[in-house]
Amino acid sequence: MNFFSNIKFLSHLTFNNVTEYFKESKPVKSDEITENSINWFGHATTVINLSNKIIITDPVFSSLLGYFKRTVKKPTYIKNLTVDYILLSHGHMDHLNFSSLRKLNKDSVIIVPKGYFRIAKLLGFKKVVLLHPGDVYEDDFVKITAYEADHDGRRFYLGHDNESISYLIERDHRRVFFAGDTALTNNFKDITCDVALMPVGCYKPDRFSYMHCTPKQSYEMFKMMNCPTMIPIHYKTFRISLENFEETEETLLSLNDDSIKIIDIGETYIF
């Protein structure tokens, strides 16, 4: 990594985030979480209802992540949310947030990748399940299969690379795929699901491509699956890279495919 290009990137990123402190957070929707639906809370946090079992992905409820200010308000339903399953894809602070996990009910099943079992236990969760790529968790209500994402899962980029996981969630003949965070990969080829939650942000500068994907690459992975619906996530919430959110959405719209369902933060998609 070129030292001067990194300084330029960090300066630009810091400027973008400092300016957010002088802006009012944008309003969002706060739709009801209904049976067999997906609500996007923001970034990689989604609330999935499958036959009235509630699954939450990478819960981040904080208004601040370090100096990164949330650019939009938070859906209000989070105050009364009780969940059955928590899925953590990896350890980066925009996916694993300690204060948010502390707010969730500790009798939920929390599924974690390598490196985060003990942390989940220390946070008070009673049932912690560690999955590696290819592993399956199954109980009387859900089946959850772990896939390998092409992403560095370490929180601070020190030591051995922890795993980063994507999940296929199945219940009562419905299937939702949560990609988490990933670069372009063939690992999801031929996955069959009803909805794919796909990351489309954090792709500039270009060197981020070693562990993130552009909107077009996200769409390319989606088209490898057997899936009728892609919901873009992992954008519009925190400015953690240099692309602007309008550019991301314009790129998605330019693909001219009705399979891509662009929803607002706080909006519920029923399937």
Side-chain angles (χ1 to χ4, degrees):
M1 183 189 305
N2 184 283
F3 174 79
F4 294 104
S5 65
N6 197 43
I7 291 296
K8 183 179 179 181
F9 159 67
L10 291 173
S11 298
H12 195 172
L13 185 67
T14 300
F15 176 79
N16 288 348
N17 277 276
V18 168
T19 59
E20 286 297 327
Y21 286 86
F22 298 94
K23 300 177 184 177
E24 186 175 355
S25 298
K26 296 178 182 177
V28 296
K29 296 182 178 181
S30 192
D31 288 354
E32 183 181 357
I33 298 169
T34 60
E35 186 174 5
N36 298 321
S37 71
I38 298 166
N39 185 287
W40 182 30
F41 185 84
H43 203 57
T45 307
T46 65
V47 180
I48 304 164
N49 182 323
L50 292 180
S51 300
N52 291 324
K53 288 294 180 181
I54 304 298
I55 304 107
I56 191 166
T57 63
D58 289 349
V60 175
F61 311 142
S62 300
S63 297
L64 291 173
L65 292 178
Y67 75 92
F68 300 108
K69 175 180 175 286
R70 187 180 171 101
T71 64
V72 293
K73 296 184 184 295
K74 293 180 278 189
T76 57
Y77 65 72
I78 205 67
K79 298 174 184 176
N80 302 310
L81 186 68
T82 300
V83 303
D84 298 292
Y85 303 89
I86 303 167
L87 305 184
L88 298 181
S89 64
H90 65 287
H92 289 162
M93 69 175 182
D94 58 320
H95 294 259
L96 191 161
N97 182 256
F98 297 132
S99 63
S100 301
L101 289 171
R102 289 189 188 101
K103 294 175 182 176
L104 291 170
N105 49 295
K106 300 304 183 291
D107 58 345
S108 56
V109 177
I110 181 168
I111 298 179
V112 302
K114 174 187 171 186
Y116 300 101
F117 183 88
R118 290 182 181 177
I119 289 173
K121 281 288 188 182
L122 288 171
L123 288 169
F125 289 97
K126 298 181 177 72
K127 184 162 186 181
V128 183
V129 178
L130 171 64
L131 292 187
H132 300 286
D135 288 350
V136 177
Y137 168 80
E138 191 166 7
D139 59 23
D140 291 340
F141 307 105
V142 298
K143 178 181 178 182
I144 297 172
T145 305
Y147 289 82
E148 181 181 4
D150 189 359
H151 191 75
D152 188 331
R154 293 173 295 181
R155 191 167 182 86
F156 300 112
Y157 301 106
L158 298 173
H160 295 291
D161 184 359
N162 286 331
E163 293 166 348
S164 189
I165 303 294
S166 306
Y167 296 101
L168 178 65
I169 311 149
E170 302 177 62
R171 172 166 164 79
D172 290 350
H173 309 294
R174 284 183 170 83
R175 297 181 172 193
V176 176
F177 180 72
F178 169 65
D181 211 350
T182 186
L184 178 63
T185 178
N186 292 322
N187 293 346
F188 313 145
K189 186 177 181 181
D190 296 330
I191 289 175
T192 298
C193 56
D194 300 295
V195 181
L197 303 170
M198 301 297 295
V200 297
C202 203
Y203 54 89
K204 284 190 176 180
D206 292 342
R207 59 182 171 83
F208 278 13
S209 64
Y210 79 99
M211 65 174 179
H212 293 102
C213 57
T214 67
K216 288 184 178 179
Q217 289 172 332
S218 184
Y219 176 71
E220 184 179 340
M221 288 185 283
F222 163 69
K223 295 302 285 185
M224 294 179 192
M225 304 180 200
N226 300 313
C227 180
T229 303
M230 167 182 166
I231 295 181
I233 61 171
H234 201 266
Y235 75 128
K236 286 189 176 180
T237 316
F238 296 101
R239 296 197 180 278
I240 56 177
S241 53
L242 298 186
E243 76 276 2
N244 63 64
F245 302 143
E246 292 78 15
E247 170 194 314
T248 302
E249 188 161 318
E250 287 169 5
T251 301
L252 290 166
L253 290 170
S254 73
L255 295 170
N256 197 29
D257 188 341
D258 291 339
S259 298
I260 305 173
K261 305 299 182 185
I262 298 175
I263 64 174
D264 294 326
I265 292 174
E267 183 176 353
T268 290
Y269 176 80
I270 299 171
F271 64 103

